[in-house]
């Protein structure tokens, strides 16, 4: 191989969006581990510029077809709208706004448009490879978190000015990362296992040890974490998968009415089964921890007893865990900048001073406390989107969501597609994306959340799903194991 061919091979590998997704999302997953954050940060920052480079090279390569490749001009309009927000708030939010704009570029023009990258016959091989890596990383993170439970770890880990709770806190397992985020990623990894099984042979074939291990680990972690967000995501995924996957099977066997009853019964059985298995897992893990403590000579007295009844840190019975106060404060800012928002979610500096553009007289002590607690994270992806980009940005985004959802729904309701060996893959991807969007009612994982593995997975899986919908009839060869 001569030098020019070597250079071309290297450049093709660097500009391959599948390779970028593999490195970027893997780095974000590892960064979610508190102990690894400092070490992986540099990789994530390099990936940020790497992704922008890929998008720019695509722009040069495809020219007028570039934005068409991103599936309409809506992503471009969203970026332009947010650029206006940055310009209007340049005095306070310039640096944070530009970073957010770079993340939007990666989401829209790299991860979302991944379906147009590379040869079509290699596409399933790429996403199966990537999924296997993501599954393996999530399995290892889950195992590490479970170990902190078994050995009764409870400590504070400091990264710069941030302090993270490691182990079992407030009667729920954090483990080595944020429990809400990691339980959702665990659910994602289980969905990726099922997708890969179908990509291998078009049907559930030989179960891999990794996939079994991942399912067991993620369910144990989920049971110990007490994450309500993950429970909601699980319920949404169960309903969608049973409705679109189970209903056609039941209908062919029993007819319409009995099929609907079977779907309803299946949902109830799954939800009740989840509750029962969760309680059983908590009981077994509690006793396993007592056994480990006994071996290590730790006294299992009442002070060290394990209880899974969540200890809430909110006041006056606020079931949102003080998140409602963040949303109230955010909307008081939105009212002042309704059209284009304030570009960056953090509206207080390190000394607690409010963005000088904002009329601080509208805030009471509770609002100021909530803003200080929120930092750049308002525990609601849609509220944070309106805060950063304004109503204009939010309206365009919702139009984008409706358009993509309609594309999935049309595919799922088309009778001929139900015979496709990739129909189940589209069902699971649709359920996964829907559950992640629902998760954003209480978390921030769509955009404007910085270096976020859940956000990256959402846009990556959306791009993969859209590719399958558009191109599956042209791809006849399934990927072999």
């Amino acid at each position: 191989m001569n030098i020019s061919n070597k250079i071309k091979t290297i450049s093709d590998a660097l500009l391959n969006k599948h390779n970028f997704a593999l490195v970027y999302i893997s780095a974000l997953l590892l960064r979610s581990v508190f102990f690894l954050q400092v070490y992986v940060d540099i990789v994530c920052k390099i990936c940020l510029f790497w992704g922008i480079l890929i998008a720019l090279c695509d722009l040069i390569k495809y020219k007028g077809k570039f934005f068409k490749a991103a599936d309409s001009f809506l992503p471009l309009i969203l970026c332009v709208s947010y650029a206006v927000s940055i310009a209007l708030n340049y005095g306070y939010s310039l640096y944070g706004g530009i970073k957010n704009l770079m993340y939007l570029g990666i989401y829209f023009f790299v991860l979302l448009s991944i379906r147009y990258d590379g040869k079509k016959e290699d596409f399933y091989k790429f996403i199966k490879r990537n999924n296997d890596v993501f599954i393996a990383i999530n399995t290892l993170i889950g195992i590490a978190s479970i170990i902190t439970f078994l050995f009764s770890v409870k400590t504070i880990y400091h990264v710069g000015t941030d302090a993270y709770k490691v182990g079992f806190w407030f009667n729920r397992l954090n483990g080595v990362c944020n429990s809400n985020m990691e339980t959702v990623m665990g659910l994602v990894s289980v969905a990726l296992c099922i997708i890969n099984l179908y990509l291998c042979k078009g049907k559930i074939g030989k179960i891999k040890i990794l996939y079994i291990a991942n399912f067991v680990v993620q369910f144990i972690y989920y049971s110990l974490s007490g994450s309500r967000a993950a429970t909601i995501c699980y319920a949404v995924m169960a309903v969608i998968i049973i409705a679109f996957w189970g209903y056609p099977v039941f209908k062919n066997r029993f007819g319409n009415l009995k099929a609907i009853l079977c779907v309803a019964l299946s949902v109830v059985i799954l939800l009740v089964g989840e509750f029962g298995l969760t309680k059983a897992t908590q009981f077994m893990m509690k006793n396993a921890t007592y056994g480990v403590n006994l071996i290590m000579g730790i006294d299992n007295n009442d002070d060290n007893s394990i209880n899974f009844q969540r200890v809430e840190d909110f006041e006056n019975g606020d079931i949102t865990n003080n998140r409602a106060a963040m949303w109230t404060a955010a909307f008081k800012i939105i009212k002042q900048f309704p059209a284009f928002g304030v570009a960056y979610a953090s509206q207080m500096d390190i000394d607690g001073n409010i963005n000088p553009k904002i009329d601080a007289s509208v805030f009471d002590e509770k609002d100021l406390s909530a803003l200080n607690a929120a930092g750049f994270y308002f525990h609601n992806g849609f509220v944070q989107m309106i805060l950063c980009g304004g109503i204009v940005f939010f309206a365009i985004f919702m139009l984008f969501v409706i358009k993509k959802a309609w594309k999935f729904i049309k595919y799922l309701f088309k009778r001929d597609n139900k015979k496709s060996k990739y129909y189940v893959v589209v069902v699971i991807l649709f359920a996964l994306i829907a559950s992640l969007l629902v998760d954003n009612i209480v978390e921030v994982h769509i955009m404007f959340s910085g270096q976020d593995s859940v956000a990256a997975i959402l846009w990556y899986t959306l791009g993969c799903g859209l590719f399958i919908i558009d191109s599956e009839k042209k791809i006849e060869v399934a990927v072999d194991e």
Side-chain angles (χ1 to χ4, degrees):
M1 183 182 291
N2 57 39
I3 295 177
S4 61
N5 288 337
K6 287 182 179 179
I7 293 174
K8 185 179 185 306
T9 300
I10 294 172
S11 65
D12 287 345
L14 287 174
L15 296 177
N16 186 298
K17 296 178 183 179
H18 299 280
N19 292 338
F20 169 79
L22 175 66
V23 176
Y24 182 52
I25 298 175
S26 297
L28 291 176
L29 287 170
L30 292 172
R31 187 186 181 278
S32 68
V33 179
F34 303 141
F35 306 108
L36 300 178
Q37 194 174 109
V38 174
Y39 307 104
V40 185
D41 252 346
I42 183 64
V43 179
C44 294
K45 289 174 181 175
I46 291 172
C47 285
L48 187 62
F49 292 98
W50 179 14
I52 296 302
L53 174 64
I54 291 174
L56 291 175
C57 288
D58 266 15
L59 179 60
I60 294 171
K61 180 180 178 180
Y62 294 112
K63 297 179 182 177
K65 297 180 180 179
F66 174 71
F67 295 110
K68 184 179 179 181
D71 200 24
S72 89
F73 282 91
L74 285 178
L76 172 63
I77 297 172
L78 279 167
C79 289
V80 171
S81 173
Y82 187 64
V84 172
S85 301
I86 296 172
L88 293 175
N89 296 278
Y90 73 93
Y92 187 85
S93 304
L94 183 62
Y95 174 72
I98 290 175
K99 275 209 312 184
N100 278 339
L101 187 60
M102 292 174 73
Y103 287 122
L104 291 182
I106 290 174
Y107 294 156
F108 294 143
F109 304 122
V110 182
L111 297 179
L112 177 66
S113 62
I114 199 166
R115 56 209 181 89
Y116 293 95
D117 185 57
K119 296 180 180 179
K120 291 181 178 179
E121 60 268 21
D122 293 332
F123 182 80
Y124 292 143
K125 179 181 71 175
F126 279 124
I127 64 172
K128 181 180 175 296
R129 175 204 64 179
N130 289 6
N131 288 351
D132 277 334
V133 174
F134 304 153
I135 292 163
I137 293 174
N138 274 290
T139 303
L140 292 174
I141 292 174
I143 290 172
S145 294
I146 292 170
I147 288 173
T148 67
F149 178 80
L150 287 171
F151 288 88
S152 302
V153 174
K154 186 177 180 180
T155 185
I156 301 291
Y157 184 75
H158 294 274
V159 180
T161 58
D162 298 320
Y164 300 103
K165 298 180 180 71
V166 178
F168 195 66
W169 286 84
F170 300 113
N171 293 350
R172 58 186 304 213
L173 178 61
N174 275 7
V176 296
C177 48
N178 178 275
S179 58
N180 287 331
M181 191 201 76
E182 193 52 40
T183 44
V184 170
M185 278 307 308
L187 189 63
V188 170
S189 69
V190 171
L192 296 182
C193 288
I194 302 173
I195 288 170
N196 273 9
L197 289 168
Y198 270 83
L199 291 182
C200 288
K201 298 179 182 298
K203 61 180 180 179
I204 301 285
K206 187 172 81 172
I207 305 291
K208 290 191 172 183
I209 294 176
L210 172 63
Y211 300 166
I212 297 173
N214 181 67
F215 177 80
V216 173
V217 167
Q218 299 306 338
F219 191 83
I220 293 173
Y221 185 80
Y222 164 78
S223 300
L224 303 178
S225 71
S227 172
R228 297 191 185 106
T231 301
I232 294 170
C233 288
Y234 168 79
V236 170
M237 283 194 69
V239 170
I240 292 176
I241 290 174
I242 293 173
F244 285 102
W245 184 6
Y247 177 76
V249 175
F250 294 137
K251 181 182 176 182
N252 289 337
R253 293 188 178 184
F254 309 118
N256 279 325
L257 182 58
K258 288 184 178 179
I260 294 172
L261 293 175
C262 286
V263 166
L265 182 60
S266 298
V267 171
V268 172
I269 290 173
L270 271 179
L271 296 180
V272 172
E274 177 271 334
F275 179 80
L277 286 174
T278 296
K279 293 301 180 183
T281 302
Q282 291 174 350
F283 176 79
M284 289 187 292
M285 292 302 296
K286 179 178 180 177
N287 285 283
T289 300
Y290 285 159
V292 172
N293 287 346
L294 185 62
I295 294 171
M296 297 180 65
I298 300 174
D299 184 19
N300 289 312
N301 55 40
D302 291 339
D303 292 334
N304 291 327
S305 63
I306 297 171
N307 184 1
F308 294 103
Q309 186 66 39
R310 281 185 56 168
V311 177
E312 308 291 1
D313 52 358
F314 52 69
E315 299 176 355
N316 302 320
D318 177 9
I319 62 172
T320 66
N321 206 5
N322 271 343
R323 292 172 182 176
M326 296 179 186
W327 306 336
T328 299
F331 275 112
K332 287 183 178 180
I333 299 174
I334 291 168
K335 285 180 180 179
Q336 297 182 42
F337 308 92
F340 292 100
V342 291
Y344 194 57
S346 180
Q347 292 308 307
M348 298 182 76
D349 62 23
I350 196 168
D351 297 319
N353 300 315
I354 295 288
N355 179 342
K357 291 188 65 175
I358 296 173
D359 178 9
S361 65
V362 301
F363 301 125
D364 55 28
E365 288 299 321
K366 188 176 181 180
D367 294 326
L368 294 173
S369 176
L371 285 174
N372 187 54
F376 65 91
Y377 196 92
F378 281 80
H379 282 280
N380 186 307
F382 305 104
V383 170
Q384 188 144 325
M385 192 184 302
I386 300 172
L387 176 68
C388 292
I391 295 173
V392 172
F393 185 96
F394 182 72
I396 299 169
F397 175 78
M398 291 309 299
L399 180 61
F400 174 86
V401 169
I402 292 169
K403 183 177 180 182
K404 301 309 173 193
W406 179 243
K407 199 165 191 175
F408 273 91
I409 291 169
K410 277 201 307 182
Y411 175 91
L412 294 174
F413 275 100
K414 191 173 181 180
R415 182 176 300 176
D416 292 343
N417 291 333
K418 292 179 174 61
K419 301 175 184 178
S420 167
K421 57 189 174 183
Y422 300 116
Y423 175 80
V424 175
V425 175
V426 177
V427 169
I428 296 170
L429 286 172
F430 179 59
L432 178 59
I433 294 164
S435 67
L436 292 180
L437 288 174
V438 171
D439 177 57
N440 277 268
I441 296 173
V442 291
E443 302 293 345
V444 182
H445 294 311
I446 302 176
M447 54 185 66
F448 304 135
S449 53
Q451 300 175 113
D452 189 323
S453 59
V454 179
I457 281 283
L458 186 152
W459 291 101
Y460 174 70
T461 52
L462 177 59
C464 292
L466 292 171
F467 177 89
I468 293 172
I469 290 172
D470 288 343
S471 306
E472 70 150 336
K473 291 182 179 179
K474 301 176 184 178
I475 304 174
E476 300 297 335
V477 181
V479 177
D480 293 326
E481 292 184 279

